[in-house]
């Protein structure tokens, strides 16, 4: 529902009275432009609620995003209908300058398994409305869920057309974002090439980012995209981060440039605060003491348990690969090999259970072994994936087997291609009995338009007999999850170098609960 501007102040005042609050003097003085330029979002749904997010930014690229250095009240509403005739929850949150004037509202007391609409008011201004669905009640017999999978959205690499198509998918319960929400680097790094030169579709507006203000502005640049905002309004996000939210290929306290750890940790903390400020996550994810508890768990009745993993913050440094990098651990290093860390590893093992029809490991980098083409500069093994941490992968495999689980599905991103395959039970034996199924989603825009089969990859499927798919188009995946079947729809967009790319279904793949694997 849209209100004309002359009615907005009246509506905000009535809303404050409805919520049992007196209208705040000075709202108009505190805001000097439309504050919801970066959109709205919801996230992390549970049976009786979810997180609502917005960030006030009338002028996103100015110091303080055009906001005064003061606390500004923001009113929110949750309704059963799109016209907001049946408001079931409302309240006031504080947009604080310490957190970039972001707002994280943890709504509770709602009914399970049903859609709600929400919106915000600040001063005389009203946000657009979004839609979010609560999860089924704990232990309830849920029949079906529909979850999108997306990430790797390099602003310079292309338009976010895939998000527009994702926002129009029917019956979405949530969207898992596997990371690389922003890219931290300077302009024209990582763009597709044309004639040996970067062919950027859009360009970053600043040099490589380091400070909290830098990260805030970079998030603003990305969040101003209308297609990304549409996806956020359409369904709850389950956000995680990968490397580019901080710095390319970072691992624990190490970056790829050899920065002294005590200095890199300053940058990492600024990046984590900016991630929190811009994601619809709970206060439990607020950074503290130089760290952030990103890994967490969400349940959907008895049908699905989602384990959101952090494969960056607790990992040991990558071992050196074939490219001659010197900022890495020697391949002969026999020290600890951690990718999710001992605490998270124990948490994951304890939480994977047969009490749910499915266990989803929602994470960032490819778990299953994978042999890349010989001509790849970094060699046939991606040392930044779980293949660079085979000891940690063996422990994960053992944990799945010890708990007698045959219902584990892994969702992954990072590599800018669609893949589907299995995690073998024995390290080094690709055809050993599979213990889990892995679906790897392509990027939203990283890597340019791409093609169905990239040049030089014609033998990849033959060299990886445990996999069933290679596709180099941009896009996303849809998990249609039922009690007897997990169907993955692989969606591609034909071009992202210009607007209006067409949606196409590349494949429809099936996994059944008691038989890890990919069936066409």
């Amino acid at each position: 529902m849209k209100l004309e501007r002359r009615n907005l102040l009246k509506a905000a005042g009535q809303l404050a009275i409805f919520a049992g609050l007196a209208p705040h003097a000075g709202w108009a003085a505190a805001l000097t432009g439309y504050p919801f330029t970066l959109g709205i979002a919801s996230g992390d749904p549970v049976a009786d609620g979810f997180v609502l997010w917005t960030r006030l930014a009338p002028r996103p690229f100015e110091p303080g995003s055009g906001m005064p250095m003061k606390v500004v009240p923001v009113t929110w509403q949750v309704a059963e209908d799109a016209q907001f005739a049946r408001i079931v929850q409302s309240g006031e949150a504080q947009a604080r300058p310490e957190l970039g004037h972001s707002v994280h509202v943890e709504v509770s007391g709602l009914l399970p398994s049903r859609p709600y609409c929400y919106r915000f008011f600040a001063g005389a201004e009203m946000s657009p409305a979004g839609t979010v669905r609560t999860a089924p009640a704990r232990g309830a017999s849920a029949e079906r869920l529909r979850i999108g999978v997306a990430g790797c959205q390099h602003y310079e690499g292309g338009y976010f057309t895939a998000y527009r198509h994702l926002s129009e998918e029917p019956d979405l319960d949530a969207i898992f974002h596997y990371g690389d929400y922003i890219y931290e680097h300077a302009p024209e790094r990582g763009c597709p090439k044309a004639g040996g030169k970067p062919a950027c579709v859009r360009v970053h507006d600043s040099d490589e980012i380091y400070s909290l203000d830098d990260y805030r502005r970079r998030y603003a640049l990305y969040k101003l995209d209308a297609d990304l905002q549409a996806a956020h309004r359409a369904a709850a996000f389950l956000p995680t981060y990968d490397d580019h939210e901080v710095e390319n290929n970072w691992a624990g306290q190490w970056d790829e440039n050899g920065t002294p750890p005590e200095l890199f940790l300053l940058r990492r903390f600024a990046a984590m605060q900016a991630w929190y400020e811009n994601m619809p996550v709970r206060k439990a994810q607020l950074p503290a003491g130089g760290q952030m508890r990103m890994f967490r768990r969400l349940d959907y009745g008895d049908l699905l348990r989602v384990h959101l993993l952090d494969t960056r913050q607790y990992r040991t440094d990558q071992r050196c690969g074939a490219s001659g990098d010197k900022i890495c651990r020697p391949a002969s290093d026999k020290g600890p090999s951690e990718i999710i860390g001992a605490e998270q590893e124990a948490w994951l093992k304890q939480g994977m259970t047969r009490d749910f029809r499915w266990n989803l490991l929602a994470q960032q980098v490819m778990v299953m072994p994978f042999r890349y083409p010989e001509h790849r500069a970094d060699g046939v093994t991606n040392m930044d994936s779980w293949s660079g941490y085979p000891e940690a992968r063996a422990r994960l495999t053992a944990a799945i087997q010890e708990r007698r689980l045959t219902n584990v599905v892994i969702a992954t991103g990072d590599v800018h291609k669609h893949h589907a395959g299995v995690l073998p039970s024995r390290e080094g034996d690709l055809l050993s009995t599979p213990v889990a199924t892995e679906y790897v989603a392509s990027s939203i825009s990283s890597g340019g338009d791409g093609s169905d089969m990239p040049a030089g990859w014609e033998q990849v499927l033959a060299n990886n007999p445990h996999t069933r798919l290679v596709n180099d188009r941009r896009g996303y995946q849809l998990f249609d999850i039922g009690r007897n079947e997990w169907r993955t729809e692989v969606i591609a967009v034909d071009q992202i170098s210009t607007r209006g790319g067409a949606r196409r279904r590349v494949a429809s793949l099936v996994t059944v609960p008691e038989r890890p694997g990919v069936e066409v």
Side-chain angles (χ1 to χ4, degrees), residues 286-303:
L286 178 67
Q291 292 187 318
M292 179 170 64
R293 176 77 172 232
M294 189 268 276
F295 67 89
R296 59 205 191 276
R297 191 173 283 132
L298 295 167
D299 293 342
Y300 287 81
D302 69 347
L303 181 59

Side-chain angles (χ1 to χ4, degrees), residues 63-367:
S65 300
M67 290 293 294
M69 291 299 103
K70 61 186 292 186
V71 178
V72 176
V74 177
T75 308
W76 55 271
Q77 294 178 321
V78 174
E80 293 179 334
D81 63 306
Q83 292 72 39
F84 287 83
R86 299 188 302 276
I87 296 172
V88 293
Q89 293 270 9
S90 63
E92 182 182 276
Q94 306 299 317
R96 304 189 64 90
E98 299 93 333
L99 293 175
H101 287 98
S102 63
V103 171
H104 299 75
V105 179
E106 299 185 22
V107 181
S108 61
L110 301 175
L111 296 175
S113 294
R114 66 148 298 153
Y116 290 94
C117 296
Y118 66 95
R119 64 186 178 188
F120 296 91
F121 290 85
E125 303 288 357
M126 183 178 69
S127 77
T131 302
V132 55
R133 180 181 292 271
T134 50
R138 183 176 181 83
S141 181
E143 294 299 320
R144 182 180 181 234
L145 292 169
R146 192 164 164 83
I147 296 177
V149 183
C152 289
Q153 53 206 53
H154 182 204
Y155 179 84
E156 298 185 306
Y159 295 108
F160 295 170
T161 308
Y163 272 130
R164 175 63 59 178
H165 292 300
L166 182 54
S167 74
E168 295 168 353
E169 297 286 356
D171 302 324
L172 284 177
D173 289 275
I175 296 170
F176 165 53
H177 194 285
Y178 53 74
D180 291 348
Y181 194 97
I182 61 166
Y183 280 67
E184 83 293 351
H185 49 66
E188 298 189 334
R189 175 183 167 186
C191 291
K193 297 292 194 299
K197 297 181 180 180
C200 299
V201 175
R202 303 181 285 189
V203 180
H204 283 163
D205 62 342
S206 67
D207 205 341
E208 185 155 347
I209 54 178
Y210 289 89
S211 71
L212 177 57
D213 282 343
D214 289 343
Y215 281 100
R216 284 171 173 167
R217 285 192 291 271
R218 186 61 56 87
Y219 274 101
L221 180 67
Y222 281 56
K223 281 183 166 291
L224 285 168
D225 185 273
D227 293 336
L228 175 56
Q229 290 193 17
H232 274 296
R233 291 195 304 271
F237 268 51
L238 314 181
T240 62
Y241 54 68
D242 193 20
D243 53 339
H244 288 290
E245 285 88 349
V246 181
E247 197 262 354
N248 183 53
N249 285 355
W250 70 279
Q253 60 183 330
W254 298 277
D255 71 358
E256 69 171 354
N257 304 311
T259 303
E262 63 272 20
L263 298 182
F264 173 65
L265 288 176
L266 296 175
R267 181 185 188 183
R268 192 186 83 172
F269 190 72
M272 287 181 172
Q273 178 173 336
W275 182 86
Y276 173 80
E277 290 176 355
N278 286 279
M279 293 296 118
V281 292
R282 297 179 185 276
K283 190 176 180 180
Q285 278 65 66
L286 178 67
Q291 292 187 318
M292 179 170 64
R293 176 77 172 232
M294 189 268 276
F295 67 89
R296 59 205 191 276
R297 191 173 283 132
L298 295 167
D299 293 342
Y300 287 81
D302 69 347
L303 181 59
L304 178 69
R305 168 163 277 188
V306 182
H307 312 263
L308 295 158
L309 304 186
D310 181 344
T311 60
R312 286 290 166 189
Q313 190 174 185
Y314 310 105
R315 68 160 74 185
T316 49
D317 200 7
Q318 294 96 338
R319 289 191 173 102
C320 299
S323 60
D325 291 338
K326 296 180 180 179
I327 311 301
C328 50
R329 299 167 64 200
S332 59
D333 189 326
K334 302 301 181 184
S337 176
E338 303 281 358
I339 192 166
I340 59 174
E343 179 189 357
Q344 186 178 187
E345 206 170 274
W347 168 87
L348 176 60
K349 181 177 179 179
Q350 179 275 328
M352 290 189 297
T353 170
R354 295 174 66 88
D355 294 341
F356 297 84
R357 192 65 170 165
W358 300 96
N359 284 272
L360 172 61
L361 310 190
Q363 52 96 63
Q364 296 78 41
V365 294
M366 195 182 295
V367 178

Side-chain angles (χ1 to χ4, degrees), residues 396-465:
L396 172 63
T397 300
I400 294 172
Q401 292 174 306
E402 288 170 17
R403 299 188 72 80
R404 297 181 296 110
L405 298 173
T406 59
N407 62 356
V408 176
V409 176
I410 304 168
T412 301
D414 180 59
V415 294
H416 309 164
K417 290 176 178 61
H418 288 296
H419 297 290
V422 297
L423 174 61
S425 55
R426 290 195 301 273
E427 195 70 31
D429 185 355
L430 297 179
L431 296 179
S432 58
T433 303
V435 300
T437 309
E438 183 166 15
Y439 291 106
V440 183
S442 185
S443 62
I444 290 292
S445 60
S446 303
D449 288 333
S451 61
D452 287 328
M453 178 60 70
W457 282 63
E458 292 81 6
Q459 297 304 311
V460 164
L461 286 177
N463 293 334
N464 293 276

